[in-house]
Amino acid sequence: MGHKRLRFLVLVAAAMVFSLACGGTTGGGGTTKTYKIGLVTDIGGLNDKSFNHLAYLGLQKAITDFHVQGDVKESKSGDDYIPNLIDFAQKNYDLVIGVGFLMQEQVGTVSGQFPNIHFAIIDGAGTDSKGNDLKHANVQSLYFKEQDAGAMVGVVAGWLEKNGKAKKNKHVIGAVGGISIPPVNHYIAGYKWAAKMEDPSIQVLVGYSNNFTDPAKCSGVATSQINSGADVLFQVAGGCGLGVLQSAGKAGVYSVGVDADQKDADPSVIASALKKVDVATYTAIKNVVNNQFQGGALTFSIANDGAGYSIDNFTVPADLKTELDKIQGQIHDGTLTPPSDIPA
Amino acid sequence: MPLGSVIFAFILGAVIVAVTGANPFAAYSGLLCGGFGIGCTQGENPALEISNTIVFTIPLITTGVAVALPFRAGLFNIGAEGQLLAGSVACTAIGIKFSTLPTPILLPMVLLGGMAAGAFWAGIAGVLKATVGAHEVVTTIMLNYVAQWLVRYLIIGGPLQLAAGTSKSQPIGAGARLATILPADNSFIVFGLPASVYRVHTGLFIALVAAAVFAFLLWRTSFGYEVRAVGQSQKAARYAGVSVRRTIIFTMLIAGAFSGLAGAVQIAGVDHNLTDKYFSDTTGFDAIAVALLGLGSAVGIILAALLFGALHSGGAIMQSDAGISSNLVLVLQALILFSIAANFVGAIRRGLPFGRGVTPAQPSELPPAAGLMSEAAVPPPETT
Amino acid sequence: MSALGDVGHLLLTATLWQAALAAAVLLLLPALGGVISERSGVVNIAMEGMMLTGAFFSVVADLAWHNPWLATLVAIVAGGMMALIHAVVSIQFRADQIVSGIAINIFAAGLTVFLVSRIYGLQDIGHVGPTEGLPYIDIHGLDQIPFLGQVLFNQNVVVYIALILLVATHVVLFRTRLGLRIRAVGEHPMAADTAGLNVFAIRYGAVLTSGLLSGLAGAFLAIGISNTFIQNMTDGRGYIALAAMIFGKWTPFGAFIACLIFGLGQAIYDNNSIIHFSPYLLSMLPYVLTLIVLAGLVGRSIPPAADGLPYVPGSE
């Protein structure tokens, strides 16, 4: 083939690829419909630097990529879940996303009232009052294997303790949870399991602040763990947990962030357990825009890059890096499975 | 209700909104839409908005009464929230334990159980006050916190918990539920929406009856006379043969019963289970403002509760439609309270129940036992 | 019960009492303010709102100027302004002081979050940098004293200030002429007026002082203990301070003891990672304790005689 022909074919191919890619941004099939997406946040508010914030980021990215109309309703208390969800539903939004485990029952109720509206819920399903999944066809559940992410940072903590590379090296680490609910406990389960795997003599202190918003409350629990010898603290408490990071910094020990990469939250943060709520939110919206919404469950884990970890403010020793890659590979291919319940 | 003061407060609120660069008209139209279904521009359903307002209003009526009654006796029931929680807990516990019983038996059981629990909770404070003179503000604040943590204890890892890892209780039995006014049917369409979205329940009637009972109690019974007498002056009441100690205890018991009833009605009518949101519930505190705003009259309390319910409902719509933080609603509530208490508008009509808040032109009535500082049940020794 | 053993062990650690004292100070400052205000005859249940206002403005100022001292000053002034509203409404307009106090609390709760949304939008108000908070100071030398050294001399700067203020308040109130005047105005405003005291001025001053103290507490909470502002971050501490004030019979040291009990409760609760007992039942501890003490030991709480009554010159 001559050069000119080859170049022409390449140009045509490029044009085809280009138009296919751009076709997606106007909502599939070339229609000019503007999809309306409603996001109902949980009580932590958008300021939590993790959970609700990530969902919001996912929405923002979808607005940029797909030109959807995105609206947010912040729930100030549990009383607001139902009015917020119904408000979007009765305005015929194309997708109503509930951010959080705590609103499962409400999503179950409202999805039953509006069977023609698509719902997605993060960390849960549409349930009845007893917690049974109603399996409504118009509800998509976005689950996460937080234990995968927790395990990775648990490896970091355990390895540091075993090799004497932490700050106090007493083989004591801590985790501060918000409330004892599954999404929180999954993280802690993976963390404890992996840490014990790395360092069998390790002691993992688990405490709860019973609060997701106020850093002062988590500060207190963190300080108590530090006073008991913990020198790596894992925060699993949303906005409150930022107090954990701060206390660790003040005490000169290490801390671990949660949900999003929290390296800027405090210099003491050496790693973050990542839960890609933004990816999940974006994916749910993308499915709707491409008319591919399907009820049922989607699970995000290390296997599909929906969960993971980051290393922050810290230079990883080569041995630790090797260990991390090894464990991640084993979780990815199923050789190792972090538990979802906190081991004894 | 002092309408002029309320309007003045809204004007002040508009100024605050404008000063921070937002649009007061957008804010208020959002409030009107969410509160009363008037002027909705974003496709909200007016019937739904009104329904939501009423749902928020119902508990405020009964707890408003629970605060207003002790005010008349010179007691400050800041513990209405704790008493409400006690009622919710009792209703839930009974509703779960006896969940198989039918409605004619179970429903009165849970409601009466709620009243008893609330009365007990308030009674602790009442007895402490009447016997050792323990200040009801301190004791009821303590009891509020105890009640909050009791709720958490019961539903997280405790006996009422639904399942491990959840933070809510099992649902109450069907017989313990208050019916909604419209059938809770997803296929029955009313005003364009499935009937089940309208959550207004028969607890509304219970609340209205409670307000009527309050008025009757206060103005038509000898007990009510004693309450008012003690509120005016404990000394004078004692001379008139009223047992101040007994009046205080009974007042708190009845107030607690009202609050407990409100809590039970919330569970039976709206939530049907106890969840962690009750830990941070503020109904009992809003009720203080409702009682003050309602000037202690039954009709006033109902109207004040309606206003606060509308503001609660309206705030959410205002936030999503006009982009203005729903916390503006709290600012407005405060401005209304200031406006009425300080009588900015200057209207001198009837005095407040405690004889306060009159303009400088009039001498103030002096019910020394009213308000926060009240004398002990027994004549105090000389002050130091 | 292993839980009792855990708590027992805990009570022997200095770090527990260190945390308890810090938590107590957070309550002590507004409680002192309440004492001063009510001793002058003005019922003040607005500590919650004044503290929250101080917390908010301390963060705003610290984010803008990166100077914790300046930020604290702003917080103190902000608390004072809230107090001024309460003072004007209840002294000048003779509004019911309880209504005014409650209104202040609601106003502050709403205004702070409303301003966050207006100034910072839907996003976070932001965090104060690690070097921009109110500092913790070890007093070298004294902090080496076994046990007490860590409890008393290894604290945030505000704790030291608060303890000084505690003593100062007591001295002023009970040993100086100013204190006498304040108390006179609170007990018999009519007589005080006749004797030539400016009742209004003294009451304004007392209420203002309570605002300044509460504002300081807010700054301690927001940029000392924490590093940001969260909706309702005072979380009822103003009301507990009120209870502490009454429990302490309107005296500074009495209030301090009550604050210590509550602070201890908070500190024990924070240790729920190592105590084998329901953290929720643990939380109830300080409140139940208070009820028991009130029932048995404290006796009657007598407020200043003219507390809560607006002063009308020339009336009975």
Side-chain angles (χ1 to χ4, degrees), chain B residues 190-206:
Chain B
V190 176
F191 294 120
L193 291 175
S196 52
V197 308
Y198 304 107
R199 296 172 298 147
V200 182
H201 52 95
T202 45
L204 173 62
F205 304 122
I206 297 179

Side-chain angles (χ1 to χ4, degrees), chain A residues 43 75-83 106, chain B residues 271 275 277:
Chain A
I43 48 185
S75 305
K76 294 280 158 44
S77 79
D79 287 327
D80 297 337
Y81 294 151
I82 291 236
Q106 287 77 12
Chain B
D271 295 313
T275 56
K277 77 171 188 198

Side-chain angles (χ1 to χ4, degrees), chain B residues 5 15 60 71 106 109 114 137 159 178 203 254 261-262 269 292-293 322-323 379:
Chain B
S5 296
V15 169
L60 287 172
F71 263 147
L106 190 54
M109 268 174 77
V137 167
L178 283 167
I254 295 177
L261 178 63
L292 292 170
L293 206 64

